[in-house]
PDB file of all heavy atoms in Angstrom:
ATOM      1  N   PHE A  31      14.451  -8.440   6.830  1.00 87.00           N
ATOM      2  CA  PHE A  31      13.312  -7.436   6.983  1.00 87.00           C
ATOM      3  C   PHE A  31      12.733  -7.472   8.334  1.00 87.00           C
ATOM      4  O   PHE A  31      12.475  -6.309   8.983  1.00 87.00           O
ATOM      5  CB  PHE A  31      12.239  -7.694   5.901  1.00 87.00           C
ATOM      6  CG  PHE A  31      11.170  -6.712   5.810  1.00 87.00           C
ATOM      7  CD1 PHE A  31      11.537  -5.514   5.103  1.00 87.00           C
ATOM      8  CD2 PHE A  31       9.952  -6.872   6.338  1.00 87.00           C
ATOM      9  CE1 PHE A  31      10.518  -4.542   4.958  1.00 87.00           C
ATOM     10  CE2 PHE A  31       9.019  -5.931   6.105  1.00 87.00           C
ATOM     11  CZ  PHE A  31       9.257  -4.645   5.485  1.00 87.00           C
ATOM     12  N   GLU A  32      12.470  -8.679   8.898  1.00 87.00           N
ATOM     13  CA  GLU A  32      11.951  -8.723  10.262  1.00 87.00           C
ATOM     14  C   GLU A  32      12.880  -8.192  11.262  1.00 87.00           C
ATOM     15  O   GLU A  32      12.514  -7.477  12.260  1.00 87.00           O
ATOM     16  CB  GLU A  32      11.507 -10.249  10.620  1.00 87.00           C
ATOM     17  CG  GLU A  32      10.410 -10.753   9.836  1.00 87.00           C
ATOM     18  CD  GLU A  32       9.212  -9.934   9.817  1.00 87.00           C
ATOM     19  OE1 GLU A  32       8.721  -9.459  10.955  1.00 87.00           O
ATOM     20  OE2 GLU A  32       8.563  -9.451   8.779  1.00 87.00           O
ATOM     21  N   MET A  35      12.636  -4.240  10.938  1.00 80.00           N
ATOM     22  CA  MET A  35      11.355  -3.699  11.432  1.00 80.00           C
ATOM     23  C   MET A  35      11.251  -3.976  12.980  1.00 80.00           C
ATOM     24  O   MET A  35      10.636  -3.138  13.625  1.00 80.00           O
ATOM     25  CB  MET A  35      10.251  -4.344  10.751  1.00 80.00           C
ATOM     26  CG  MET A  35      10.289  -4.133   9.053  1.00 80.00           C
ATOM     27  SD  MET A  35      10.620  -2.412   8.661  1.00 80.00           S
ATOM     28  CE  MET A  35       9.117  -1.578   9.228  1.00 80.00           C
ATOM     29  N   GLY A  36      11.804  -5.192  13.494  1.00 76.00           N
ATOM     30  CA  GLY A  36      11.668  -5.422  14.849  1.00 76.00           C
ATOM     31  C   GLY A  36      12.494  -4.488  15.803  1.00 76.00           C
ATOM     32  O   GLY A  36      12.267  -4.450  16.990  1.00 76.00           O
ATOM     33  N   VAL A  46      -1.276  -3.430  20.286  1.00 96.00           N
ATOM     34  CA  VAL A  46      -1.269  -4.332  19.197  1.00 96.00           C
ATOM     35  C   VAL A  46      -1.684  -5.663  19.735  1.00 96.00           C
ATOM     36  O   VAL A  46      -1.269  -6.053  20.829  1.00 96.00           O
ATOM     37  CB  VAL A  46       0.172  -4.547  18.598  1.00 96.00           C
ATOM     38  CG1 VAL A  46       0.219  -5.489  17.472  1.00 96.00           C
ATOM     39  CG2 VAL A  46       0.659  -3.152  18.028  1.00 96.00           C
ATOM     40  N   VAL A  57      -3.437  -8.450  12.514  1.00 98.00           N
ATOM     41  CA  VAL A  57      -2.945  -7.823  13.702  1.00 98.00           C
ATOM     42  C   VAL A  57      -3.861  -6.561  13.884  1.00 98.00           C
ATOM     43  O   VAL A  57      -4.013  -5.754  13.009  1.00 98.00           O
ATOM     44  CB  VAL A  57      -1.497  -7.366  13.540  1.00 98.00           C
ATOM     45  CG1 VAL A  57      -1.125  -6.363  14.619  1.00 98.00           C
ATOM     46  CG2 VAL A  57      -0.637  -8.622  13.535  1.00 98.00           C
ATOM     47  N   ILE A  59      -4.514  -3.026  15.374  1.00 98.00           N
ATOM     48  CA  ILE A  59      -3.606  -1.915  15.855  1.00 98.00           C
ATOM     49  C   ILE A  59      -4.652  -0.726  16.287  1.00 98.00           C
ATOM     50  O   ILE A  59      -5.370  -0.175  15.541  1.00 98.00           O
ATOM     51  CB  ILE A  59      -2.765  -1.418  14.709  1.00 98.00           C
ATOM     52  CG1 ILE A  59      -1.901  -2.585  14.141  1.00 98.00           C
ATOM     53  CG2 ILE A  59      -1.921  -0.262  15.098  1.00 98.00           C
ATOM     54  CD1 ILE A  59      -1.350  -2.326  12.877  1.00 98.00           C
ATOM     55  N   TYR A  72      -5.544  -2.825   6.304  1.00 98.00           N
ATOM     56  CA  TYR A  72      -4.169  -2.407   5.856  1.00 98.00           C
ATOM     57  C   TYR A  72      -3.486  -3.705   5.355  1.00 98.00           C
ATOM     58  O   TYR A  72      -3.423  -4.726   5.903  1.00 98.00           O
ATOM     59  CB  TYR A  72      -3.347  -1.859   7.010  1.00 98.00           C
ATOM     60  CG  TYR A  72      -2.060  -1.183   6.502  1.00 98.00           C
ATOM     61  CD1 TYR A  72      -2.124   0.053   6.069  1.00 98.00           C
ATOM     62  CD2 TYR A  72      -0.908  -1.860   6.398  1.00 98.00           C
ATOM     63  CE1 TYR A  72      -1.022   0.725   5.505  1.00 98.00           C
ATOM     64  CE2 TYR A  72       0.157  -1.307   5.949  1.00 98.00           C
ATOM     65  CZ  TYR A  72       0.196  -0.016   5.490  1.00 98.00           C
ATOM     66  OH  TYR A  72       1.348   0.623   5.035  1.00 98.00           O
ATOM     67  N   PHE A  73      -2.781  -3.492   4.143  1.00 98.00           N
ATOM     68  CA  PHE A  73      -2.015  -4.525   3.480  1.00 98.00           C
ATOM     69  C   PHE A  73      -0.443  -4.155   3.482  1.00 98.00           C
ATOM     70  O   PHE A  73      -0.274  -3.061   2.664  1.00 98.00           O
ATOM     71  CB  PHE A  73      -2.532  -4.828   2.125  1.00 98.00           C
ATOM     72  CG  PHE A  73      -3.985  -5.122   2.034  1.00 98.00           C
ATOM     73  CD1 PHE A  73      -4.886  -4.650   1.125  1.00 98.00           C
ATOM     74  CD2 PHE A  73      -4.487  -6.150   2.899  1.00 98.00           C
ATOM     75  CE1 PHE A  73      -6.159  -5.031   1.143  1.00 98.00           C
ATOM     76  CE2 PHE A  73      -5.791  -6.529   2.961  1.00 98.00           C
ATOM     77  CZ  PHE A  73      -6.639  -5.941   1.936  1.00 98.00           C
ATOM     78  N   HIS A  74       0.312  -4.877   4.025  1.00 97.00           N
ATOM     79  CA  HIS A  74       1.747  -4.461   4.047  1.00 97.00           C
ATOM     80  C   HIS A  74       2.483  -4.726   2.710  1.00 97.00           C
ATOM     81  O   HIS A  74       1.964  -5.466   1.904  1.00 97.00           O
ATOM     82  CB  HIS A  74       2.437  -5.264   5.209  1.00 97.00           C
ATOM     83  CG  HIS A  74       2.552  -6.729   4.943  1.00 97.00           C
ATOM     84  ND1 HIS A  74       3.508  -7.388   4.002  1.00 97.00           N
ATOM     85  CD2 HIS A  74       1.812  -7.839   5.241  1.00 97.00           C
ATOM     86  CE1 HIS A  74       3.300  -8.622   3.921  1.00 97.00           C
ATOM     87  NE2 HIS A  74       2.334  -8.970   4.816  1.00 97.00           N
ATOM     88  N   GLY A  75       3.557  -4.074   2.517  1.00 96.00           N
ATOM     89  CA  GLY A  75       4.402  -4.279   1.416  1.00 96.00           C
ATOM     90  C   GLY A  75       5.357  -5.432   1.474  1.00 96.00           C
ATOM     91  O   GLY A  75       5.292  -6.090   2.515  1.00 96.00           O
ATOM     92  N   GLY A  81       7.627  -9.581   4.447  1.00 95.00           N
ATOM     93  CA  GLY A  81       6.921  -8.749   5.369  1.00 95.00           C
ATOM     94  C   GLY A  81       5.790  -9.471   5.979  1.00 95.00           C
ATOM     95  O   GLY A  81       5.330 -10.601   5.693  1.00 95.00           O
ATOM     96  N   THR A  82       5.325  -8.813   7.072  1.00 96.00           N
ATOM     97  CA  THR A  82       4.208  -9.436   7.841  1.00 96.00           C
ATOM     98  C   THR A  82       3.384  -8.337   8.378  1.00 96.00           C
ATOM     99  O   THR A  82       3.655  -7.154   8.324  1.00 96.00           O
ATOM    100  CB  THR A  82       4.704 -10.161   9.062  1.00 96.00           C
ATOM    101  OG1 THR A  82       5.404  -9.270   9.934  1.00 96.00           O
ATOM    102  CG2 THR A  82       5.628 -11.265   8.717  1.00 96.00           C
ATOM    103  N   ALA A  83       2.140  -8.730   8.897  1.00 96.00           N
ATOM    104  CA  ALA A  83       1.270  -7.740   9.451  1.00 96.00           C
ATOM    105  C   ALA A  83       1.996  -7.007  10.602  1.00 96.00           C
ATOM    106  O   ALA A  83       1.819  -5.807  10.906  1.00 96.00           O
ATOM    107  CB  ALA A  83      -0.038  -8.334   9.953  1.00 96.00           C
ATOM    108  N   ALA A  84       2.696  -7.770  11.395  1.00 93.00           N
ATOM    109  CA  ALA A  84       3.387  -7.283  12.650  1.00 93.00           C
ATOM    110  C   ALA A  84       4.475  -6.276  12.199  1.00 93.00           C
ATOM    111  O   ALA A  84       4.649  -5.145  12.856  1.00 93.00           O
ATOM    112  CB  ALA A  84       4.074  -8.386  13.504  1.00 93.00           C
ATOM    113  N   SER A  85       5.164  -6.476  11.080  1.00 91.00           N
ATOM    114  CA  SER A  85       6.286  -5.560  10.575  1.00 91.00           C
ATOM    115  C   SER A  85       5.646  -4.276  10.118  1.00 91.00           C
ATOM    116  O   SER A  85       6.402  -3.372   9.907  1.00 91.00           O
ATOM    117  CB  SER A  85       7.169  -6.284   9.558  1.00 91.00           C
ATOM    118  OG  SER A  85       6.413  -6.483   8.384  1.00 91.00           O
ATOM    119  N   SER A  86       4.355  -4.264   9.784  1.00 91.00           N
ATOM    120  CA  SER A  86       3.829  -3.042   9.186  1.00 91.00           C
ATOM    121  C   SER A  86       3.147  -2.069  10.253  1.00 91.00           C
ATOM    122  O   SER A  86       2.583  -1.075   9.972  1.00 91.00           O
ATOM    123  CB  SER A  86       2.620  -3.387   8.355  1.00 91.00           C
ATOM    124  OG  SER A  86       1.497  -4.001   9.043  1.00 91.00           O
ATOM    125  N   VAL A  87       3.291  -2.559  11.561  1.00 95.00           N
ATOM    126  CA  VAL A  87       2.656  -1.754  12.617  1.00 95.00           C
ATOM    127  C   VAL A  87       3.081  -0.206  12.701  1.00 95.00           C
ATOM    128  O   VAL A  87       2.273   0.600  12.882  1.00 95.00           O
ATOM    129  CB  VAL A  87       2.962  -2.415  14.011  1.00 95.00           C
ATOM    130  CG1 VAL A  87       2.602  -1.492  15.104  1.00 95.00           C
ATOM    131  CG2 VAL A  87       2.184  -3.681  14.152  1.00 95.00           C
ATOM    132  N   GLY A  88       4.360   0.063  12.447  1.00 94.00           N
ATOM    133  CA  GLY A  88       4.723   1.464  12.502  1.00 94.00           C
ATOM    134  C   GLY A  88       4.074   2.362  11.499  1.00 94.00           C
ATOM    135  O   GLY A  88       3.474   3.318  11.911  1.00 94.00           O
ATOM    136  N   LEU A  89       4.053   1.957  10.300  1.00 96.00           N
ATOM    137  CA  LEU A  89       3.418   2.840   9.170  1.00 96.00           C
ATOM    138  C   LEU A  89       2.034   2.746   9.306  1.00 96.00           C
ATOM    139  O   LEU A  89       1.203   3.728   9.256  1.00 96.00           O
ATOM    140  CB  LEU A  89       3.908   2.316   7.805  1.00 96.00           C
ATOM    141  CG  LEU A  89       3.311   3.112   6.654  1.00 96.00           C
ATOM    142  CD1 LEU A  89       3.464   4.646   6.823  1.00 96.00           C
ATOM    143  CD2 LEU A  89       3.887   2.634   5.345  1.00 96.00           C
ATOM    144  N   ALA A  90       1.444   1.557   9.608  1.00 97.00           N
ATOM    145  CA  ALA A  90       0.048   1.383   9.678  1.00 97.00           C
ATOM    146  C   ALA A  90      -0.549   2.244  10.839  1.00 97.00           C
ATOM    147  O   ALA A  90      -1.644   2.842  10.864  1.00 97.00           O
ATOM    148  CB  ALA A  90      -0.331   0.013   9.747  1.00 97.00           C
ATOM    149  N   SER A  91       0.154   2.262  12.004  1.00 96.00           N
ATOM    150  CA  SER A  91      -0.287   3.029  13.118  1.00 96.00           C
ATOM    151  C   SER A  91      -0.242   4.399  12.918  1.00 96.00           C
ATOM    152  O   SER A  91      -1.061   5.199  13.419  1.00 96.00           O
ATOM    153  CB  SER A  91       0.429   2.569  14.448  1.00 96.00           C
ATOM    154  OG  SER A  91       1.927   2.902  14.409  1.00 96.00           O
ATOM    155  N   ASP A  92       0.848   4.921  12.241  1.00 96.00           N
ATOM    156  CA  ASP A  92       1.001   6.319  11.755  1.00 96.00           C
ATOM    157  C   ASP A  92      -0.250   6.747  11.050  1.00 96.00           C
ATOM    158  O   ASP A  92      -0.680   7.823  11.262  1.00 96.00           O
ATOM    159  CB  ASP A  92       2.254   6.510  11.043  1.00 96.00           C
ATOM    160  CG  ASP A  92       3.470   6.631  12.024  1.00 96.00           C
ATOM    161  OD1 ASP A  92       3.314   6.660  13.286  1.00 96.00           O
ATOM    162  OD2 ASP A  92       4.659   6.493  11.444  1.00 96.00           O
ATOM    163  N   LEU A  93      -0.607   6.019  10.072  1.00 97.00           N
ATOM    164  CA  LEU A  93      -1.811   6.279   9.289  1.00 97.00           C
ATOM    165  C   LEU A  93      -3.146   6.247  10.071  1.00 97.00           C
ATOM    166  O   LEU A  93      -3.913   7.188   9.948  1.00 97.00           O
ATOM    167  CB  LEU A  93      -1.889   5.276   8.110  1.00 97.00           C
ATOM    168  CG  LEU A  93      -3.041   5.424   7.138  1.00 97.00           C
ATOM    169  CD1 LEU A  93      -2.948   6.861   6.366  1.00 97.00           C
ATOM    170  CD2 LEU A  93      -3.105   4.416   6.019  1.00 97.00           C
ATOM    171  N   VAL A 101      -6.954   0.158  13.031  1.00 98.00           N
ATOM    172  CA  VAL A 101      -6.314  -0.522  11.881  1.00 98.00           C
ATOM    173  C   VAL A 101      -6.313  -2.031  12.076  1.00 98.00           C
ATOM    174  O   VAL A 101      -6.136  -2.452  13.159  1.00 98.00           O
ATOM    175  CB  VAL A 101      -4.829  -0.037  11.609  1.00 98.00           C
ATOM    176  CG1 VAL A 101      -4.286  -0.626  10.398  1.00 98.00           C
ATOM    177  CG2 VAL A 101      -4.786   1.457  11.576  1.00 98.00           C
ATOM    178  N   VAL A 102      -6.689  -2.711  11.035  1.00 98.00           N
ATOM    179  CA  VAL A 102      -6.539  -4.125  10.891  1.00 98.00           C
ATOM    180  C   VAL A 102      -5.575  -4.474   9.769  1.00 98.00           C
ATOM    181  O   VAL A 102      -5.837  -4.183   8.679  1.00 98.00           O
ATOM    182  CB  VAL A 102      -7.932  -4.842  10.681  1.00 98.00           C
ATOM    183  CG1 VAL A 102      -7.711  -6.377  10.563  1.00 98.00           C
ATOM    184  CG2 VAL A 102      -8.870  -4.534  11.807  1.00 98.00           C
ATOM    185  N   SER A 103      -4.413  -4.991  10.136  1.00 98.00           N
ATOM    186  CA  SER A 103      -3.302  -5.302   9.251  1.00 98.00           C
ATOM    187  C   SER A 103      -3.428  -6.841   8.942  1.00 98.00           C
ATOM    188  O   SER A 103      -3.386  -7.674   9.852  1.00 98.00           O
ATOM    189  CB  SER A 103      -2.008  -4.874   9.754  1.00 98.00           C
ATOM    190  OG  SER A 103      -1.020  -5.073   8.768  1.00 98.00           O
ATOM    191  N   VAL A 104      -3.353  -7.208   7.692  1.00 98.00           N
ATOM    192  CA  VAL A 104      -3.624  -8.550   7.227  1.00 98.00           C
ATOM    193  C   VAL A 104      -2.322  -9.328   7.014  1.00 98.00           C
ATOM    194  O   VAL A 104      -1.466  -8.924   6.227  1.00 98.00           O
ATOM    195  CB  VAL A 104      -4.450  -8.564   5.847  1.00 98.00           C
ATOM    196  CG1 VAL A 104      -4.785  -9.901   5.504  1.00 98.00           C
ATOM    197  CG2 VAL A 104      -5.663  -7.671   6.135  1.00 98.00           C
ATOM    198  N   ASP A 105      -2.261 -10.553   7.600  1.00 98.00           N
ATOM    199  CA  ASP A 105      -1.191 -11.450   7.327  1.00 98.00           C
ATOM    200  C   ASP A 105      -1.443 -12.360   6.137  1.00 98.00           C
ATOM    201  O   ASP A 105      -1.788 -13.546   6.351  1.00 98.00           O
ATOM    202  CB  ASP A 105      -0.851 -12.243   8.533  1.00 98.00           C
ATOM    203  CG  ASP A 105       0.411 -11.875   9.182  1.00 98.00           C
ATOM    204  OD1 ASP A 105       1.296 -11.577   8.503  1.00 98.00           O
ATOM    205  OD2 ASP A 105       0.445 -11.996  10.462  1.00 98.00           O
ATOM    206  N   TYR A 106      -1.641 -11.708   4.947  1.00 98.00           N
ATOM    207  CA  TYR A 106      -1.943 -12.597   3.820  1.00 98.00           C
ATOM    208  C   TYR A 106      -0.718 -13.537   3.440  1.00 98.00           C
ATOM    209  O   TYR A 106       0.451 -13.320   3.732  1.00 98.00           O
ATOM    210  CB  TYR A 106      -2.315 -11.667   2.570  1.00 98.00           C
ATOM    211  CG  TYR A 106      -1.229 -10.647   2.133  1.00 98.00           C
ATOM    212  CD1 TYR A 106      -0.210 -10.961   1.343  1.00 98.00           C
ATOM    213  CD2 TYR A 106      -1.264  -9.417   2.657  1.00 98.00           C
ATOM    214  CE1 TYR A 106       0.741 -10.065   0.953  1.00 98.00           C
ATOM    215  CE2 TYR A 106      -0.305  -8.478   2.386  1.00 98.00           C
ATOM    216  CZ  TYR A 106       0.633  -8.707   1.458  1.00 98.00           C
ATOM    217  OH  TYR A 106       1.653  -7.837   1.012  1.00 98.00           O
ATOM    218  N   GLY A 142      -2.579   0.558   1.760  1.00 98.00           N
ATOM    219  CA  GLY A 142      -1.409  -0.301   1.825  1.00 98.00           C
ATOM    220  C   GLY A 142      -0.294   0.321   1.083  1.00 98.00           C
ATOM    221  O   GLY A 142      -0.485   1.430   0.513  1.00 98.00           O
ATOM    222  N   GLU A 143       0.939  -0.207   1.168  1.00 98.00           N
ATOM    223  CA  GLU A 143       2.193   0.259   0.583  1.00 98.00           C
ATOM    224  C   GLU A 143       2.731  -0.799  -0.414  1.00 98.00           C
ATOM    225  O   GLU A 143       2.712  -1.930  -0.073  1.00 98.00           O
ATOM    226  CB  GLU A 143       3.189   0.704   1.556  1.00 98.00           C
ATOM    227  CG  GLU A 143       3.011   0.301   3.043  1.00 98.00           C
ATOM    228  CD  GLU A 143       3.791  -1.007   3.321  1.00 98.00           C
ATOM    229  OE1 GLU A 143       4.875  -1.330   2.639  1.00 98.00           O
ATOM    230  OE2 GLU A 143       3.461  -1.489   4.416  1.00 98.00           O
ATOM    231  N   ALA A 272       7.062   5.685   5.421  1.00 94.00           N
ATOM    232  CA  ALA A 272       7.483   5.046   6.575  1.00 94.00           C
ATOM    233  C   ALA A 272       8.566   5.728   7.346  1.00 94.00           C
ATOM    234  O   ALA A 272       8.991   5.170   8.437  1.00 94.00           O
ATOM    235  CB  ALA A 272       8.053   3.647   6.035  1.00 94.00           C
TER     236      ALA A 272
END
Side-chain angles (χ1 to χ4, degrees):
F31 191 76
E32 290 305 310
M35 303 310 293
V46 178
V57 169
I59 304 169
Y72 195 85
F73 303 132
H74 68 81
T82 62
S85 67
S86 74
V87 166
L89 179 53
S91 64
D92 283 348
L93 182 61
V101 182
V102 176
S103 186
V104 182
D105 251 330
Y106 57 87
E143 16 96 18

